[in-house]
C-alpha cells in the first residue's frame, strides 16, 4: 500500500505523467513463504571496487561484498551481494547491501532486466546467515521510465528457477 501510494504521488513517482493518470496499483505475485529463505554469507575479502554497468552512461562504484548460498524448492542457489561505495558515505544507507537478480520469470511475468532486493549489514547473524525474502523484491525505476539509470544485473546473478514472489512486470496502459 505504501509503495502504491508513492507511485500515485507525482512528486515521488518514477512513472511517466501519462502512466500516473491511469495507475491503479502495482501487480505482485501472491506472498509465498517458500521464497523466504536463510542464506549463508561468505564474505569476499579485499574485493576490488569496480564500475557497475547501468542502463545509461552512469557507472556507479560497487564492490562484491560476498556470496549468498541458499536453497529454494530443493535447488541450491547462489547470488552475489554488492555494496555501493556511494552508500558508504551516507549515514542513512551505509548498512545497505544490494542484490540484483534475474530468474526464469524475467522477461515474462517479471521485468526482463531483473529485480532488486536490499538487505542490511545489521541483519547478518553471528553465524553469517541472513534471511532473504523474495516477496520484498522490487523493480528498478527504469522498468517504469527509461530516464532513470539502473544497475544492470550481472549474468552470474541469474537464478535458474522461477521466483514467483515479489513484484511483477509493470504493464503500461
Amino acid at each position: 500500500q505504501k509503495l502504491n501510494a508513492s507511485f500515485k504521488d507525482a512528486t515521488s513517482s518514477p512513472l511517466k505523467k501519462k502512466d500516473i493518470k491511469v495507475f491503479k496499483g502495482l501487480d505482485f505475485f501472491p506472498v509465498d513463504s517458500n521464497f523466504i529463505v536463510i542464506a549463508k554469507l561468505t564474505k569476499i575479502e579485499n574485493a576490488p571496487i569496480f564500475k557497475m554497468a547501468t542502463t545509461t552512461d552512469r557507472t556507479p562504484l560497487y564492490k562484491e561484498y560476498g556470496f549468498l548460498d541458499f536453497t529454494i524448492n530443493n535447488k541450491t542457489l547462489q547470488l552475489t551481494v554488492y555494496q555501493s561505495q556511494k552508500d558508504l558515505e551516507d549515514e542513512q544507507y551505509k548498512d545497505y547491501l544490494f542484490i540484483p537478480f534475474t530468474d526464469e520469470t524475467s522477461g515474462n511475468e517479471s521485468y526482463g532486466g531483473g529485480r532488486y532486493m536490499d538487505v542490511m549489514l545489521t541483519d547478518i547473524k553471528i553465524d553469517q546467515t541472513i534471511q532473504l525474502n523474495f516477496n520484498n523484491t522490487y523493480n528498478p525505476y527504469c522498468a517504469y521510465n527509461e530516464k532513470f539509470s539502473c544497475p544492470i544485473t550481472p549474468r552470474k546473478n541469474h537464478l535458474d528457477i522461477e521466483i514467483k514472489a515479489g513484484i511483477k512486470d509493470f504493464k503500461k496502459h
Side-chain angles (χ1 to χ4, degrees), residues 79-133:
L79 287 171
T80 301
V81 60
Y82 299 89
Q83 187 174 45
S84 163
Q85 298 307 286
K86 185 178 180 190
D87 284 355
L88 289 174
E89 300 165 11
D90 187 329
E91 193 61 33
Q92 184 179 351
Y93 296 106
K94 67 180 177 61
D95 289 330
Y96 277 68
L97 296 175
F98 173 61
I99 308 168
F101 72 96
T102 56
D103 66 276
E104 293 298 308
T105 69
S106 299
N108 297 310
E109 295 168 278
S110 68
Y111 178 58
R115 292 178 282 167
Y116 298 165
M117 183 187 327
D118 297 319
V119 294
M120 305 288 288
L121 284 171
T122 52
D123 292 336
I124 300 169
K125 306 287 186 238
I126 198 137
D127 65 354
Q128 296 303 295
T129 59
I130 189 165
Q131 180 178 283
L132 301 180
N133 186 344

Side-chain angles (χ1 to χ4, degrees), residues 30-96:
V31 173
D32 186 339
S33 61
N34 289 316
F35 295 106
I36 303 171
V37 298
I38 301 299
K40 176 74 173 164
L41 172 69
T42 304
K43 193 167 181 212
I44 300 170
E45 297 300 328
N46 304 313
I49 293 172
F50 69 96
K51 293 178 180 179
M52 187 174 276
T54 67
T55 55
T56 65
D57 292 340
R58 186 179 69 95
T59 53
L61 299 178
Y62 278 84
K63 76 174 184 178
E64 291 183 351
Y65 187 83
F67 301 109
L68 295 167
D69 292 289
F70 55 97
T71 303
I72 294 178
N73 296 336
N74 296 317
K75 188 165 186 129
T76 302
L77 302 164
Q78 184 180 78
L79 287 171
T80 301
V81 60
Y82 299 89
Q83 187 174 45
S84 163
Q85 298 307 286
K86 185 178 180 190
D87 284 355
L88 289 174
E89 300 165 11
D90 187 329
E91 193 61 33
Q92 184 179 351
Y93 296 106
K94 67 180 177 61
D95 289 330
Y96 277 68

